[in-house]
Amino acid sequence: MIRLHDTLAREKREFIPQDPKRITMYVCGPTVYGRAHIGNARPYVVFDTLARLIRREFGEDSLVYARNITDVDDKIIASAAAEGVDPSVITARYEDHFLDDMRALGVRDPDIAPHATREIAEMVAMIGRLIELGHAYAAEGHVLFSVPSDPDYGALSKRDRDAMVAGARVEVAPYKRDPADFVLWKPSTEGMIGWDSPWSRGRPGWHIECSAMIRAHLGKTIDIHGGGLDLIFPHHENEIAQSRCAHGGAPLARYWVHNGFVDMGTEKMSKSLGNIITPGELLAQGHKGETLRLALLSAHYRQPLAWSERLLEDAETILRKATDALRFEETFPAVQPETRFISLLKDDLNTPGALDYIRVKTRKVRALASAQSFGSPFSAYRISGAELLSAFEMLGIDRQSILGTLDEDQEITDLIQLRDAAKASRDFATADRIRDELKADGIVLEDGPGGTTWRRG
Ligand code: AMP
Ligand code: ZN
């Protein structure tokens, strides 16, 4: 049984999908006008990990995961104007960067990646429906959602009205009936990107995008809706209101899951504060994607995560020790992760617990790499090693990245050490096997008074 913390219920709830053969999950994707920073990457790594867990529990084909691309937005329009190019040049460039960064972090592509600019008709239809039902009104080429028309507005963020108006930093525009009303459609000026609509040649507001794309691709009510904490208000509150009001009261999502911020000690990592580090920069410094991923998973997803050199070093150590413990065999069988490891993830994605498991398991595997067990194909070493690898795989770190990273000289020295240990415990069969295996690879061992040396024969 998977348990998830639901922001709306404010507690952990057992995850029971509407249809276990078609579980639906939507995560708000990036606005593609600049490079994503490592904080932006956190939700995508977290929800990728959740997707892996759901697929393991309910079946590989059980999940439909959608992550949108916001490719029309005022910041995109501003960047395009600054560079003197079409907005599509900006969005194509940064979407490519985003996808490269995600892949480097081991984030699988979602099943569906809807783009706002390709779904305008859906948005116009939903806005039309909201107007018909009295939940929205057109004024001066704009369409606004009428917050007072929705008595349930505010349930997700539990804010009172004044805090909502202040928090949304909404302009008090003359065409608004209520200061809390928010934009569904806005007019574009001459030459600016825009689409025809019954109200003006214009473009959609950000919130309606997600509501319309969810409806089009996943349905009226989805199982899981995710994103960073900062999206709870106003973005998700507004998505809920639009969708519920357009769909006769059907709730938009059954579980609302939000990740905490990556911060730089005290301040949230954010573009506007100028304190960002991008995955691209970290990779260029020589950090591996697996290290970044593990670092992002080292705190519980709801907790803040302070980004630091130390955090990266700790993640690197976990990976290096696992590589080191697993170097005595070339291949390991495919096995299921241990139940107690899976149970940690099923408890609201307890990734810090999962990392503790990996640390302890690594020590055990290292201890089993003793001369006695070495060599037997079904040894405790191989089984434990395989379990360790499958635990990494559940976290999205593939076995090849853990096996195959030691340099060859190091491996030879390690094998010689292991052979010395075998000889010391009078396990000459193992000692001979190591020597023969090395010989088959063209490495000749020479035992002398000062110990064993090696050369390429
Ligand atoms: P944006 O492209 O700004 O819409 O952000 C993409 C995702 O990153 C959203 O789910 C945000 O909530 C999330 N996010 C933004 N900044 C941070 C941060 N410092 N730490 C964690 N998540 C963040
Ligand atoms: Zn959204």
Side-chain angles (χ1 to χ4, degrees):
M1 186 229 293
I2 297 176
R3 287 161 58 79
L4 289 176
H5 184 275
D6 175 9
T7 307
L8 191 57
R10 283 166 174 70
E11 60 180 17
K12 275 197 235 177
R13 292 170 53 215
E14 181 180 346
F15 175 62
I16 305 170
Q18 299 176 99
D19 174 1
K21 292 200 192 67
R22 188 175 180 276
I23 300 171
T24 45
M25 177 162 88
Y26 183 92
V27 174
C28 296
T31 305
V32 279
Y33 71 100
R35 290 298 290 254
H37 58 67
I38 195 74
N40 294 139
R42 190 181 193 191
Y44 308 122
V45 168
V46 164
F47 288 99
D48 177 70
T49 308
L50 178 58
R52 286 167 196 267
L53 180 67
I54 290 173
R55 292 197 158 104
R56 188 189 174 282
E57 282 303 295
F58 293 90
E60 194 52 38
D61 299 325
S62 62
L63 178 70
V64 191
Y65 173 23
R67 185 188 68 200
N68 70 299
I69 296 286
T70 295
D71 57 356
V72 54
D73 171 270
D74 289 352
K75 283 176 279 201
I76 296 172
I77 294 171
S79 302
E83 282 191 32
V85 296
D86 194 74
S88 62
V89 174
I90 302 287
T91 57
R93 181 196 305 155
Y94 290 110
E95 180 177 356
D96 280 353
H97 281 310
F98 174 74
L99 294 176
D100 287 347
D101 290 346
M102 290 306 112
R103 287 170 192 150
L105 293 175
V107 174
R108 271 172 60 166
D109 291 347
D111 303 296
I112 306 174
H115 288 61
T117 53
R118 301 174 200 166
E119 319 246 349
I120 301 294
E122 302 290 341
M123 299 173 207
V124 168
M126 191 179 244
I127 295 169
R129 181 147 181 77
L130 287 168
I131 294 176
E132 251 169 59
L133 293 169
H135 289 294
Y137 57 93
E140 297 177 29
H142 293 71
V143 181
L144 291 122
F145 183 88
S146 162
V147 169
S149 78
D150 175 16
D152 292 330
Y153 189 86
L156 185 71
S157 58
K158 293 236 163 69
R159 291 177 181 227
D160 67 34
R161 259 192 57 95
D162 292 348
M164 276 192 266
V165 172
R169 273 177 269 140
V170 281
E171 319 151 46
V172 185
Y175 46 80
K176 276 190 186 178
R177 292 185 194 159
D178 186 288
D181 293 351
F182 58 87
V183 166
L184 302 175
W185 188 264
K186 54 185 158 190
S188 293
T189 53
E190 187 67 38
M192 189 188 270
I193 185 171
W195 293 263
D196 289 329
S197 82
W199 316 290
S200 59
R201 188 186 151 275
R203 57 198 195 280
W206 174 34
H207 318 302
I208 195 72
E209 260 181 43
C210 288
S211 283
M213 294 192 284
I214 290 171
R215 170 79 177 88
H217 294 279
L218 301 178
K220 288 181 182 167
T221 300
I222 58 172
D223 287 303
I224 299 172
H225 195 318
L229 207 59
D230 53 337
L231 300 188
I232 295 175
F233 186 84
H235 185 53
H236 289 167
E237 196 74 80
N238 293 354
E239 281 187 34
I240 289 178
Q242 295 160 161
S243 294
R244 195 185 343 85
C245 291
H247 299 146
L252 173 56
R254 302 172 72 243
Y255 298 83
W256 285 90
V257 181
H258 292 101
N259 65 273
F261 293 138
V262 172
D263 61 49
M264 300 298 278
T266 48
E267 284 178 322
K268 173 189 168 191
M269 186 182 290
S270 91
K271 231 180 161 171
S272 54
L273 293 170
N275 60 352
I276 63 169
I277 306 176
T278 66
E281 286 164 350
L282 291 160
L283 294 167
Q285 287 165 20
H287 297 291
K288 291 191 300 173
E290 293 80 23
T291 308
L292 306 184
R293 182 174 179 108
L294 216 54
L296 285 171
L297 292 174
S298 60
H300 186 257
Y301 77 87
R302 300 186 56 221
Q303 298 302 317
L305 174 65
W307 195 259
S308 68
E309 271 303 311
R310 176 68 200 280
L311 188 75
L312 284 168
E313 282 163 21
D314 288 350
E316 239 149 50
T317 303
I318 292 174
L319 292 167
R320 197 186 53 246
K321 286 193 169 165
T323 301
D324 181 66
L326 292 166
R327 71 189 180 221
F328 303 107
E329 282 284 0
E330 268 176 26
T331 58
F332 288 84
V335 297
Q336 292 296 319
E338 281 185 285
T339 314
R340 62 197 169 95
F341 174 78
I342 295 291
S343 303
L344 291 163
L345 294 180
K346 280 158 81 173
D347 181 15
D348 197 27
L349 282 190
N350 179 2
T351 55
L355 262 53
D356 282 341
Y357 166 96
I358 282 178
R359 286 192 190 90
V360 172
K361 189 79 180 175
T362 300
R363 281 199 288 276
K364 179 169 172 206
V365 172
R366 186 65 189 83
L368 285 169
S370 60
Q372 291 90 302
S373 61
F374 183 81
S376 137
F378 300 109
S379 67
Y381 172 71
R382 288 196 84 206
I383 301 291
S384 275
E387 284 167 348
L388 176 59
L389 283 170
S390 66
F392 274 113
E393 284 174 326
M394 272 307 299
L395 295 179
I397 293 178
D398 70 56
R399 57 174 56 209
Q400 225 33 61
S401 69
I402 307 254
L403 300 172
T405 49
L406 279 185
D407 67 53
E408 203 198 6
D409 287 10
Q410 178 69 39
E411 254 174 271
I412 296 167
T413 322
D414 292 337
L415 283 168
I416 291 174
Q417 263 179 25
L418 207 62
R419 177 167 168 268
D420 289 344
K423 283 202 294 190
S425 60
R426 311 194 63 75
D427 179 359
F428 298 112
T430 298
D432 288 348
R433 192 190 135 199
I434 294 172
R435 193 197 51 217
D436 293 346
E437 276 190 1
L438 283 169
K439 195 170 165 191
D441 290 340
I443 309 295
V444 180
L445 300 188
E446 281 162 356
D447 296 316
T452 306
T453 55
W454 64 272
R455 62 180 170 80
R456 288 179 216 279

